[in-house]
Amino acid sequence: MAGNDASPSATFLLTRNAALDLRGIHARSRREWGDDVADRYLADLYAAMSGAAVNPENGRLRQHRSAPFLMIPARQHFVIYDLVPQGIAVLTVQHQVRDVEALIAELTPAFHAEVERLKRKA
């Protein structure tokens, strides 16, 4: 797990799935555009996750696509998350061209299990 500890109410946690997503995004960006662009892109994704932790309700604007979870855009990706006592749990980070609805439907049981585990740790 990783997080932003700017304040207790602004914490985000990464699930294993989200951490792997970010690692893959960074690796692909490095191959295609170089270290500087990849690092800036990843920093922008982390800034979006921090923003979602501060204002988690912003994710309700796209909830019709990510139900039962929340979702915000972050550059060319979507950050899909759920609320936990510590702040938010980032479940996955997916490119906007992906079929987000199908992906969430497929992974919902695993996401629920991860969120419940995080809630128990609170």
Side-chain angles (χ1 to χ4, degrees):
M1 296 292 158
N4 172 7
D5 48 21
S7 78
S9 64
T11 298
F12 70 87
L13 306 171
L14 297 176
T15 61
R16 181 183 311 259
N17 195 63
L20 290 171
D21 292 340
L22 291 167
R23 183 182 223 174
I25 291 165
H26 189 258
R28 180 172 181 189
S29 296
R30 284 183 63 213
R31 283 191 309 272
E32 294 196 25
W33 298 291
D35 289 336
D36 290 341
V37 171
D39 291 346
R40 278 194 310 273
Y41 193 87
L42 205 63
D44 289 347
L45 295 180
Y46 272 86
M49 291 182 285
S50 292
V54 172
N55 297 303
E57 294 302 312
N58 288 347
R60 296 212 186 276
L61 295 173
R62 288 180 175 74
Q63 192 173 23
H64 65 281
R65 293 192 61 203
S66 61
F69 307 111
L70 304 171
M71 180 171 76
I72 58 160
R75 301 272 310 250
Q76 298 298 312
H77 286 80
F78 286 123
V79 174
I80 299 158
Y81 61 96
D82 202 4
L83 303 176
V84 294
Q86 305 93 317
I88 66 167
V90 178
L91 304 169
T92 188
V93 181
Q94 295 295 317
H95 199 279
Q96 290 182 6
V97 299
R98 296 283 311 267
D99 183 349
V100 173
E101 295 87 345
L103 177 77
I104 290 172
E106 177 183 321
L107 294 174
T108 291
F111 288 162
H112 278 300
E114 186 77 19
V115 168
E116 287 307 312
R117 187 179 67 75
L118 292 169
K119 286 179 179 178
R120 284 192 303 272
K121 285 181 136 182

